[in-house]
Amino acid sequence: MVRAYLDKATRGTGLTRRLATRFDRPEATISDWIGAARPTRISQRREPPGVGAHPQAPT
């Protein structure tokens, strides 16, 4: 799927339709696959949640 995506992504609009045709799947399914494969902002964090977000006041 990834190789097909990269190959067809350079050919302009209609990417989801072309991939749906190639894999014989509905366009909604292809869109779901693409969405699941894309990194999210949460997965791109460099630090665990909460680290550096709010400095602790000295006690």
Side-chain angles (χ1 to χ4, degrees):
M1 171 72 182
V2 174
R3 289 179 194 236
Y5 177 91
L6 294 173
D7 178 51
K8 295 190 181 296
T10 61
R11 297 185 184 157
T13 60
L15 172 63
T16 305
R17 180 179 30 83
R18 289 191 304 272
L19 290 173
T21 300
R22 176 168 179 184
F23 290 102
D24 194 29
R25 297 284 185 248
E27 287 186 41
T29 300
I30 299 297
S31 292
D32 288 346
W33 289 354
I34 292 169
R38 286 189 175 141
T40 63
R41 289 179 184 235
I42 293 171
S43 68
Q44 293 176 346
R45 288 186 182 171
R46 295 176 192 259
E47 297 177 353
V51 174
H54 301 286
Q56 297 285 330
T59 56

